[in-house]
Amino acid sequence: MSDPSTKERLLDSAERLFAERGYAATSLRELTQDAGCNLAAVNYHFGTKEALVLAVLERRVRPVNEERLARLDALEAAGTPQLEDVLRAFVAPLLERHRDGAAVERVARLFLQLSTMRDPELQHYRLFQSTATRFVAAFLRALPEVDPVTVYWRITFMIPVVAMSFSDAERLAFLSGGTASADDTERALAHMVSFLAGGLRAPEPTAGGAA
Amino acid sequence: MSDPSTKERLLDSAERLFAERGYAATSLRELTQDAGCNLAAVNYHFGTKEALVLAVLERRVRPVNEERLARLDALEAAGTPQLEDVLRAFVAPLLERHRDGAAVERVARLFLQLSTMRDPELQHYRLFQSTATRFVAAFLRALPEVDPVTVYWRITFMIPVVAMSFSDAERLAFLSGGTASADDTERALAHMVSFLAGGLRAPEPTAGGAA
DNA sequence: GTCTATAAACGGATAGAC
DNA sequence: GTCTATCCGTTTATAGAC
């Protein structure tokens, strides 16, 4: 426990460098030098660069999704949860598990990078499958007055908000006029939940799609 | 005009391959072979691979942003536009400029990739600067009853919806239960506008961030 | 403008000693 | 588990003929 093991140092360096410079732009030579170990250590501990980046993402994503499901379990054990409760169960674990906004930003950037790659070796959807299934059902139950097809569309719009809003602190500062910071996780959470609740509960678009 | 020039064929191939396989994962050899021209043509027409991908993005983004601003000009010339009008002016040019969802998906994937790269040679924010400034002002005017700080936060949440919702047709199909398709741009537009309007106009979070 | 040929460097992965 | 040394393919970019 005292010193981080080589494997953990590799995960730490990989998370930081992949997020900051990009997965493809970071060579295993830079990475192992940053981690203070030998080039061959990557192959020994993870096998390939692809397996390493998946391990990096999984280390952050799995506990977040486990906490999401635990919170949803607790809510549903107490009755039918309100929409805002389900939203908080979904969003809070991501924001609260990390001390500062930089950690959330790293995870978001890593996730976005993998999302834009079609390499079958880099598939990461399975990390979210069970969570997605459970929460889609919960949102449908919390929105009985909205057409389910509309709810599906809106969940599709909700995912980018959660996945991407904190992926770039500069964009966040610029678009928010310098008033928003991912470091203030409590405010970020409250604002995100109110925004998403408003979007999910909005009046449905009229059939004609009027001007 | 009859045959696309080598330069245009390079832009076409680059857009498709960068979006489908990734910028870093696509070599100039594959790219020039796909475009039916010589490897050295990239250097002749664009200089570097980085300049090429920026040209690819700019070719799609600039006309979209010009149309966004033109629509906003027209709205504001006729008085103070409603929130939904401003939203449609912002979202419709992206969805309507391309015949099918695949084209929107390519542009979105390309944008997301560049967003996750910190290489100074790949900065693309300037493509959006004037558009962002104008629309932020328009949203503030269309939401006089909402605290401006809250509006900034919500614009920050809105950008990921527009940028990322159509970046992955598989995710769209999965999360929407197979009911949503980016090919139906009219429905996509109507759903996105109603979602964003609901989020932007939602009741503000209470100071206490109550449960 | 387009080509061939090549420079010059870097990439991930691995064998085998310790 | 960690190291050195190296294999071997690939990369972007360019020089120079046509």
Side-chain angles (χ1 to χ4, degrees):
Chain A
M1 271 299 195
S2 48
D3 277 7
S5 68
T6 295
K7 191 170 180 176
E8 284 163 348
R9 290 203 317 277
L10 279 172
L11 287 169
D12 291 339
S13 289
E15 177 177 309
R16 196 173 59 78
L17 293 177
F18 287 164
E20 291 179 359
R21 307 184 191 178
Y23 167 74
T26 303
S27 72
L28 295 182
R29 284 173 172 81
E30 298 173 89
L31 201 155
T32 49
Q33 189 172 4
D34 184 87
C37 69
N38 190 273
L39 172 61
V42 172
N43 178 264
Y44 177 78
H45 287 286
F46 299 96
T48 66
K49 189 184 182 186
E50 287 167 336
L52 170 59
V53 70
L54 285 176
V56 169
L57 190 71
E58 182 161 4
R59 181 175 68 149
R60 299 298 182 197
V61 167
R62 195 169 45 192
V64 168
N65 279 342
E66 281 171 0
E67 191 177 338
R68 283 169 166 161
L69 290 175
R71 292 200 190 198
L72 186 57
D73 285 340
L75 285 175
E76 293 183 335
T80 301
Q82 294 293 303
L83 175 61
E84 277 81 358
D85 297 326
V86 180
L87 282 170
R88 249 185 299 272
F90 187 71
V91 177
L94 174 65
L95 292 180
E96 292 174 358
R97 278 198 83 86
H98 307 99
R99 283 176 239 154
D100 53 40
V104 178
E105 185 180 358
R106 283 198 301 272
V107 178
R109 293 174 71 88
L110 213 59
F111 172 79
L112 281 188
Q113 284 185 55
L114 294 193
S115 298
T116 63
M117 301 179 189
R118 288 236 164 103
D119 186 337
E121 301 294 323
L122 288 173
Q123 292 311 320
H124 59 285
Y125 285 113
R126 58 172 183 79
L127 290 175
F128 298 90
Q129 206 143 19
S130 58
T131 306
T133 304
R134 283 284 311 276
F135 273 88
V136 166
F139 284 119
L140 285 168
R141 273 196 298 276
L143 291 162
E145 75 283 8
V146 183
D147 179 356
V149 173
T150 300
V151 175
Y152 287 133
W153 272 98
R154 290 174 175 179
I155 292 173
T156 301
F157 299 144
M158 185 186 75
I159 299 304
V161 177
V162 180
M164 192 179 159
S165 288
F166 301 112
S167 70
D168 188 335
E170 284 183 41
R171 181 183 59 230
L172 189 64
F174 171 67
L175 287 173
S176 73
T179 63
S181 160
D183 285 335
D184 190 346
T185 57
E186 209 160 322
R187 280 169 60 89
L189 175 62
H191 277 294
M192 188 175 277
V193 168
S194 78
F195 175 83
L196 294 175
L200 289 165
R201 271 203 285 247
E204 298 196 46
T206 54
Chain B
M1 272 298 197
S2 48
D3 277 6
S5 68
T6 295
K7 193 170 179 176
E8 284 164 348
R9 290 203 317 278
L10 279 172
L11 288 169
D12 291 339
S13 289
E15 177 177 309
R16 194 172 60 78
L17 293 177
F18 287 164
E20 291 179 359
R21 308 183 191 179
Y23 167 74
T26 303
S27 71
L28 296 182
R29 282 175 171 77
E30 298 173 271
L31 201 155
T32 48
Q33 189 172 4
D34 184 87
C37 68
N38 190 273
L39 172 63
V42 172
N43 178 265
Y44 178 78
H45 287 286
F46 298 96
T48 66
K49 189 185 182 185
E50 287 167 335
L52 169 60
V53 70
L54 285 175
V56 169
L57 190 71
E58 183 162 3
R59 181 175 67 149
R60 297 299 181 198
V61 166
R62 196 168 43 191
V64 167
N65 280 340
E66 282 172 359
E67 190 176 337
R68 282 169 166 159
L69 291 176
R71 291 201 192 197
L72 187 56
D73 285 339
L75 285 175
E76 293 183 335
T80 300
Q82 293 294 302
L83 175 61
E84 277 82 357
D85 296 326
V86 180
L87 282 169
R88 249 184 299 271
F90 187 71
V91 177
L94 174 66
L95 292 181
E96 292 175 358
R97 280 199 81 86
H98 309 98
R99 282 175 241 155
D100 53 38
V104 177
E105 186 180 358
R106 282 199 302 271
V107 178
R109 292 174 72 88
L110 213 58
F111 172 79
L112 281 188
Q113 285 185 53
L114 294 194
S115 298
T116 64
M117 302 180 191
R118 287 238 164 103
D119 187 338
E121 300 294 322
L122 289 173
Q123 292 311 322
H124 59 285
Y125 284 113
R126 58 174 182 79
L127 289 176
F128 298 90
Q129 205 143 19
S130 58
T131 306
T133 304
R134 282 284 312 276
F135 273 87
V136 167
F139 283 119
L140 285 167
R141 273 196 297 276
L143 291 161
E145 75 282 8
V146 183
D147 179 356
V149 173
T150 300
V151 175
Y152 287 133
W153 273 101
R154 290 175 175 179
I155 292 173
T156 301
F157 299 144
M158 184 186 75
I159 299 304
V161 177
V162 180
M164 192 180 159
S165 288
F166 301 112
S167 69
D168 189 333
E170 283 182 43
R171 182 183 57 230
L172 188 65
F174 171 66
L175 287 172
S176 73
T179 62
S181 161
D183 286 334
D184 190 346
T185 57
E186 209 161 323
R187 277 169 62 88
L189 174 63
H191 278 293
M192 188 175 277
V193 167
S194 78
F195 175 83
L196 293 175
L200 289 165
R201 271 202 286 247
E204 297 196 47
T206 55

